[in-house]
Short mmCIF file of all heavy atoms in Angstrom, two decimals:
data_model
loop_
_atom_site.label_atom_id
_atom_site.label_comp_id
_atom_site.label_asym_id
_atom_site.label_seq_id
_atom_site.Cartn_x
_atom_site.Cartn_y
_atom_site.Cartn_z
N ALA A 146 3.51 22.71 24.68
CA ALA A 146 2.28 22.16 24.12
C ALA A 146 1.41 21.59 25.22
O ALA A 146 1.90 20.97 26.18
CB ALA A 146 2.61 21.06 23.11
N TRP A 147 0.09 21.81 25.08
CA TRP A 147 -0.89 21.16 25.94
C TRP A 147 -1.36 19.88 25.25
O TRP A 147 -1.65 19.89 24.05
CB TRP A 147 -2.09 22.07 26.19
CG TRP A 147 -1.86 23.07 27.29
CD1 TRP A 147 -1.56 24.39 27.16
CD2 TRP A 147 -1.93 22.81 28.69
NE1 TRP A 147 -1.43 24.98 28.40
CE2 TRP A 147 -1.66 24.04 29.36
CE3 TRP A 147 -2.19 21.67 29.46
CZ2 TRP A 147 -1.64 24.14 30.75
CZ3 TRP A 147 -2.18 21.77 30.85
CH2 TRP A 147 -1.90 22.99 31.48
N ILE A 148 -1.43 18.79 26.01
CA ILE A 148 -1.85 17.50 25.47
C ILE A 148 -2.97 16.94 26.33
O ILE A 148 -2.84 16.84 27.55
CB ILE A 148 -0.67 16.50 25.43
CG1 ILE A 148 0.41 17.00 24.47
CG2 ILE A 148 -1.14 15.10 25.03
CD1 ILE A 148 1.66 16.14 24.44
N THR A 149 -4.09 16.62 25.68
CA THR A 149 -5.19 15.96 26.39
C THR A 149 -5.03 14.46 26.28
O THR A 149 -4.34 13.94 25.40
CB THR A 149 -6.55 16.36 25.82
OG1 THR A 149 -6.70 15.80 24.50
CG2 THR A 149 -6.70 17.87 25.75
N PRO A 154 -4.47 12.02 32.47
CA PRO A 154 -4.26 13.42 32.82
C PRO A 154 -4.14 14.32 31.59
O PRO A 154 -3.82 13.88 30.49
CB PRO A 154 -2.94 13.38 33.60
CG PRO A 154 -2.22 12.18 33.04
CD PRO A 154 -3.30 11.17 32.77
N ILE A 155 -4.43 15.60 31.83
CA ILE A 155 -4.18 16.65 30.86
C ILE A 155 -2.94 17.40 31.34
O ILE A 155 -2.86 17.75 32.52
CB ILE A 155 -5.38 17.61 30.77
CG1 ILE A 155 -6.64 16.84 30.38
CG2 ILE A 155 -5.09 18.75 29.80
CD1 ILE A 155 -7.91 17.64 30.58
N ALA A 156 -1.99 17.63 30.46
CA ALA A 156 -0.74 18.23 30.93
C ALA A 156 -0.11 19.11 29.86
O ALA A 156 -0.38 18.98 28.68
CB ALA A 156 0.25 17.14 31.34
N ARG A 157 0.73 20.03 30.36
CA ARG A 157 1.51 20.90 29.49
C ARG A 157 2.96 20.44 29.50
O ARG A 157 3.51 20.11 30.57
CB ARG A 157 1.39 22.35 29.96
CG ARG A 157 2.22 23.36 29.18
CD ARG A 157 1.86 24.79 29.60
NE ARG A 157 2.86 25.74 29.15
CZ ARG A 157 3.83 26.22 29.92
NH1 ARG A 157 3.93 25.84 31.19
NH2 ARG A 157 4.69 27.09 29.45
N ALA A 166 3.34 21.17 33.75
CA ALA A 166 2.11 21.54 34.46
C ALA A 166 1.04 20.48 34.22
O ALA A 166 1.00 19.84 33.17
CB ALA A 166 1.60 22.90 34.01
N ASP A 167 0.18 20.31 35.24
CA ASP A 167 -0.98 19.43 35.12
C ASP A 167 -2.25 20.28 35.21
O ASP A 167 -2.29 21.30 35.89
CB ASP A 167 -1.00 18.40 36.26
CG ASP A 167 0.05 17.31 36.07
OD1 ASP A 167 -0.02 16.61 35.05
OD2 ASP A 167 0.92 17.18 36.95
N ALA A 168 -3.29 19.82 34.51
CA ALA A 168 -4.58 20.50 34.54
C ALA A 168 -5.60 19.65 35.27
O ALA A 168 -5.41 18.44 35.43
CB ALA A 168 -5.05 20.78 33.11
N PRO A 169 -6.70 20.25 35.74
CA PRO A 169 -7.75 19.46 36.37
C PRO A 169 -8.28 18.39 35.41
O PRO A 169 -8.34 18.61 34.19
CB PRO A 169 -8.84 20.51 36.67
CG PRO A 169 -8.12 21.81 36.72
CD PRO A 169 -7.01 21.69 35.73
N PRO A 170 -8.64 17.23 35.92
CA PRO A 170 -9.11 16.15 35.05
C PRO A 170 -10.46 16.47 34.44
O PRO A 170 -11.25 17.24 34.99
CB PRO A 170 -9.20 14.95 35.99
CG PRO A 170 -9.41 15.56 37.35
CD PRO A 170 -8.63 16.84 37.34
N MET A 171 -10.71 15.89 33.27
CA MET A 171 -12.00 16.00 32.60
C MET A 171 -12.43 14.59 32.18
O MET A 171 -11.61 13.67 32.14
CB MET A 171 -11.92 16.93 31.38
CG MET A 171 -11.51 18.35 31.74
SD MET A 171 -11.34 19.44 30.29
CE MET A 171 -13.05 19.66 29.81
N PRO A 174 -11.79 14.57 27.37
CA PRO A 174 -11.39 15.73 26.57
C PRO A 174 -10.94 15.31 25.17
O PRO A 174 -10.14 14.39 25.02
CB PRO A 174 -10.23 16.32 27.37
CG PRO A 174 -9.66 15.17 28.13
CD PRO A 174 -10.83 14.29 28.47
N GLY A 176 -10.54 18.01 22.53
CA GLY A 176 -10.17 19.19 21.76
C GLY A 176 -9.45 20.19 22.62
O GLY A 176 -9.81 20.39 23.79
N VAL A 177 -8.40 20.83 22.08
CA VAL A 177 -7.63 21.78 22.86
C VAL A 177 -7.06 22.85 21.93
O VAL A 177 -6.74 22.59 20.78
CB VAL A 177 -6.48 21.07 23.63
CG1 VAL A 177 -5.53 20.36 22.67
CG2 VAL A 177 -5.72 22.05 24.51
N THR A 178 -6.99 24.08 22.45
CA THR A 178 -6.35 25.18 21.74
C THR A 178 -5.65 26.05 22.77
O THR A 178 -6.05 26.08 23.94
CB THR A 178 -7.40 25.99 20.94
OG1 THR A 178 -6.75 26.99 20.16
CG2 THR A 178 -8.41 26.65 21.86
N VAL A 179 -4.59 26.75 22.37
CA VAL A 179 -3.78 27.49 23.32
C VAL A 179 -3.46 28.88 22.78
O VAL A 179 -3.30 29.06 21.57
CB VAL A 179 -2.47 26.71 23.64
CG1 VAL A 179 -1.60 26.56 22.41
CG2 VAL A 179 -1.68 27.37 24.76
N ASP A 180 -3.37 29.88 23.69
CA ASP A 180 -2.99 31.22 23.27
C ASP A 180 -1.50 31.44 23.50
O ASP A 180 -0.79 30.55 23.99
CB ASP A 180 -3.84 32.28 23.97
CG ASP A 180 -3.64 32.33 25.47
OD1 ASP A 180 -2.58 31.93 25.97
OD2 ASP A 180 -4.57 32.79 26.18
N ASP A 182 0.04 33.12 25.64
CA ASP A 182 0.46 33.17 27.04
C ASP A 182 0.44 31.79 27.69
O ASP A 182 0.75 31.65 28.88
CB ASP A 182 -0.45 34.10 27.83
CG ASP A 182 -0.31 35.55 27.39
OD1 ASP A 182 0.83 35.97 27.11
OD2 ASP A 182 -1.34 36.26 27.32
N GLY A 183 0.04 30.78 26.94
CA GLY A 183 0.00 29.42 27.47
C GLY A 183 -1.32 29.01 28.07
O GLY A 183 -1.46 27.87 28.55
N ASN A 184 -2.30 29.91 28.07
CA ASN A 184 -3.63 29.54 28.54
C ASN A 184 -4.32 28.68 27.49
O ASN A 184 -4.25 28.98 26.29
CB ASN A 184 -4.47 30.80 28.80
CG ASN A 184 -3.78 31.77 29.73
OD1 ASN A 184 -3.42 31.42 30.85
ND2 ASN A 184 -3.59 33.00 29.27
N ALA A 185 -5.03 27.66 27.93
CA ALA A 185 -5.65 26.72 26.99
C ALA A 185 -7.14 26.59 27.24
O ALA A 185 -7.62 26.71 28.37
CB ALA A 185 -4.99 25.34 27.11
N TRP A 186 -7.89 26.37 26.16
CA TRP A 186 -9.29 25.98 26.23
C TRP A 186 -9.37 24.51 25.85
O TRP A 186 -8.79 24.09 24.84
CB TRP A 186 -10.14 26.80 25.28
CG TRP A 186 -10.43 28.21 25.71
CD1 TRP A 186 -9.70 29.32 25.40
CD2 TRP A 186 -11.54 28.65 26.51
NE1 TRP A 186 -10.27 30.43 25.97
CE2 TRP A 186 -11.41 30.05 26.64
CE3 TRP A 186 -12.62 28.00 27.11
CZ2 TRP A 186 -12.33 30.82 27.36
CZ3 TRP A 186 -13.53 28.77 27.82
CH2 TRP A 186 -13.38 30.16 27.95
N ILE A 187 -10.10 23.72 26.67
CA ILE A 187 -10.22 22.28 26.43
C ILE A 187 -11.70 21.92 26.40
O ILE A 187 -12.48 22.35 27.26
CB ILE A 187 -9.50 21.47 27.53
CG1 ILE A 187 -8.02 21.87 27.57
CG2 ILE A 187 -9.64 19.97 27.28
CD1 ILE A 187 -7.26 21.27 28.73
N ALA A 188 -12.09 21.14 25.39
CA ALA A 188 -13.50 20.76 25.22
C ALA A 188 -13.71 19.28 25.49
O ALA A 188 -12.94 18.44 25.02
CB ALA A 188 -13.96 21.10 23.80
N LEU A 195 -16.62 22.85 28.79
CA LEU A 195 -15.57 23.64 28.15
C LEU A 195 -14.81 24.35 29.26
O LEU A 195 -15.41 25.06 30.07
CB LEU A 195 -16.18 24.65 27.18
CG LEU A 195 -15.21 25.51 26.37
CD1 LEU A 195 -14.39 24.65 25.41
CD2 LEU A 195 -15.97 26.59 25.60
N MET A 196 -13.50 24.15 29.31
CA MET A 196 -12.71 24.67 30.41
C MET A 196 -11.53 25.49 29.89
O MET A 196 -10.89 25.12 28.91
CB MET A 196 -12.17 23.52 31.27
CG MET A 196 -11.43 23.96 32.53
SD MET A 196 -10.72 22.54 33.44
CE MET A 196 -12.21 21.65 33.88
N ARG A 197 -11.28 26.62 30.56
CA ARG A 197 -10.08 27.42 30.27
C ARG A 197 -9.13 27.28 31.45
O ARG A 197 -9.54 27.44 32.61
CB ARG A 197 -10.43 28.89 30.06
CG ARG A 197 -9.23 29.76 29.69
CD ARG A 197 -9.66 31.18 29.32
NE ARG A 197 -8.53 31.96 28.83
CZ ARG A 197 -7.96 32.98 29.50
NH1 ARG A 197 -8.44 33.33 30.70
NH2 ARG A 197 -6.94 33.63 28.99
N ILE A 198 -7.88 26.99 31.14
CA ILE A 198 -6.87 26.79 32.18
C ILE A 198 -5.67 27.69 31.91
O ILE A 198 -5.38 28.05 30.77
CB ILE A 198 -6.42 25.32 32.27
CG1 ILE A 198 -5.93 24.83 30.92
CG2 ILE A 198 -7.55 24.44 32.77
CD1 ILE A 198 -5.39 23.42 30.93
N SER A 199 -4.97 28.04 32.97
CA SER A 199 -3.78 28.88 32.84
C SER A 199 -2.59 28.04 32.42
O SER A 199 -2.65 26.80 32.40
CB SER A 199 -3.48 29.56 34.17
OG SER A 199 -3.03 28.61 35.13
N ALA A 200 -1.47 28.71 32.12
CA ALA A 200 -0.25 28.00 31.73
C ALA A 200 0.25 27.10 32.84
O ALA A 200 0.93 26.10 32.59
CB ALA A 200 0.82 29.00 31.32
N SER A 201 -0.08 27.41 34.07
CA SER A 201 0.34 26.60 35.21
C SER A 201 -0.65 25.50 35.56
O SER A 201 -0.44 24.73 36.49
CB SER A 201 0.58 27.48 36.44
OG SER A 201 -0.62 28.15 36.81
N GLY A 202 -1.76 25.44 34.84
CA GLY A 202 -2.74 24.38 35.04
C GLY A 202 -3.91 24.75 35.92
O GLY A 202 -4.76 23.92 36.22
N GLN A 203 -4.00 26.02 36.33
CA GLN A 203 -5.11 26.45 37.18
C GLN A 203 -6.39 26.64 36.36
O GLN A 203 -6.36 27.21 35.27
CB GLN A 203 -4.75 27.78 37.86
CG GLN A 203 -5.84 28.33 38.76
CD GLN A 203 -5.49 29.70 39.32
OE1 GLN A 203 -4.46 30.27 38.99
NE2 GLN A 203 -6.35 30.23 40.18
N LYS A 204 -7.51 26.14 36.90
CA LYS A 204 -8.79 26.34 36.24
C LYS A 204 -9.20 27.81 36.32
O LYS A 204 -9.31 28.38 37.40
CB LYS A 204 -9.87 25.48 36.88
CG LYS A 204 -11.24 25.57 36.18
CD LYS A 204 -12.34 24.95 37.00
CE LYS A 204 -12.12 23.48 37.26
NZ LYS A 204 -13.28 22.85 37.98
N LEU A 205 -9.41 28.43 35.16
CA LEU A 205 -9.80 29.83 35.09
C LEU A 205 -11.29 29.99 34.83
O LEU A 205 -11.94 30.86 35.41
CB LEU A 205 -9.01 30.55 33.99
CG LEU A 205 -7.49 30.54 34.15
CD1 LEU A 205 -6.83 31.18 32.93
CD2 LEU A 205 -7.07 31.26 35.42
N VAL A 206 -11.83 29.17 33.93
CA VAL A 206 -13.24 29.23 33.56
C VAL A 206 -13.73 27.81 33.31
O VAL A 206 -13.01 27.00 32.72
CB VAL A 206 -13.44 30.08 32.28
CG1 VAL A 206 -14.92 30.06 31.86
CG2 VAL A 206 -12.97 31.50 32.47
N GLU A 207 -14.94 27.50 33.76
CA GLU A 207 -15.57 26.23 33.42
C GLU A 207 -17.00 26.50 32.99
O GLU A 207 -17.77 27.12 33.72
CB GLU A 207 -15.55 25.26 34.59
CG GLU A 207 -16.11 23.89 34.23
CD GLU A 207 -15.96 22.89 35.36
OE1 GLU A 207 -15.74 23.32 36.53
OE2 GLU A 207 -16.05 21.68 35.10
N ILE A 219 -8.57 29.23 19.26
CA ILE A 219 -8.23 30.56 19.72
C ILE A 219 -8.11 31.52 18.53
O ILE A 219 -7.57 31.17 17.49
CB ILE A 219 -6.88 30.54 20.48
CG1 ILE A 219 -7.02 29.83 21.84
CG2 ILE A 219 -6.32 31.94 20.66
CD1 ILE A 219 -7.71 30.64 22.90
N PRO A 240 -12.15 35.73 26.94
CA PRO A 240 -11.28 35.01 27.88
C PRO A 240 -11.97 34.68 29.20
O PRO A 240 -11.60 33.71 29.88
CB PRO A 240 -10.11 35.98 28.09
CG PRO A 240 -10.07 36.79 26.84
CD PRO A 240 -11.51 36.96 26.44
#
Side-chain angles (χ1 to χ4, degrees):
W147 278 102
I148 296 176
T149 69
I155 301 167
R157 177 171 164 262
D167 287 300
M171 299 178 71
V177 59
T178 185
V179 64
D180 64 25
D182 294 321
N184 306 303
W186 285 92
I187 302 172
L195 183 65
M196 185 184 297
R197 183 173 186 250
I198 55 177
S199 69
S201 61
Q203 179 185 4
K204 183 192 299 185
L205 301 175
V206 177
E207 184 174 18
I219 290 284

